[in-house]
Amino acid sequence: MPPTNESRLCHSETLYSDERIRISRFTLAPGTTTGEHTHEFDYVVAPVEGGTVTIESNGTVSDFDLVAKTPYQRPRGVHHSLTNRTKETIEFVEIEYLT
């Protein structure tokens, strides 16, 4: 689902990439979203600045707490969007295993 009129895309940048891994930083200012996407690879998320995001996945909407300095992993195939509906900026680093 594309961003709604009330949200815009978050900032993301690739920090490092080679044939085995890709490391990216995502910064979600208040009101921004990752946009709908599917993860093609297993990945780890390491929140730097935590907060609560709203996750939309396959027609389901729920809130999820990203806890600073508390990483978690997910398998490839996850399809979702994350939106920061709080008043604070949320930042996380994502590490994708390409092989």
Side-chain angles (χ1 to χ4, degrees):
M1 175 164 29
T4 65
N5 290 335
E6 63 191 57
S7 62
R8 59 195 190 285
L9 289 177
C10 69
H11 174 75
S12 65
E13 64 179 311
T14 300
L15 301 175
Y16 176 83
S17 184
D18 65 20
E19 67 279 352
R20 296 181 307 135
I21 64 170
R22 178 173 41 229
I23 303 171
S24 304
R25 177 177 32 229
F26 291 82
T27 304
L28 284 81
T32 62
T33 181
T34 60
E36 186 174 9
H37 60 281
T38 301
H39 289 269
E40 297 178 34
F41 307 100
D42 293 345
Y43 65 102
V44 171
V45 172
V48 177
E49 296 292 334
T52 302
V53 293
T54 299
I55 299 176
E56 295 182 42
S57 179
N58 301 316
T60 302
V61 177
S62 60
D63 288 338
F64 181 75
D65 290 327
L66 292 170
V67 179
K69 301 178 185 173
T70 306
Y72 63 91
Q73 65 87 30
R74 296 286 186 266
R76 70 176 169 214
V78 171
H79 180 81
H80 62 194
S81 68
L82 305 178
T83 303
N84 180 0
R85 300 198 190 281
T86 72
K87 295 181 189 228
E88 302 297 325
T89 297
I90 296 170
E91 183 177 334
F92 60 88
V93 172
E94 178 180 277
I95 303 161
E96 296 172 284
Y97 298 100
L98 307 178
T99 58

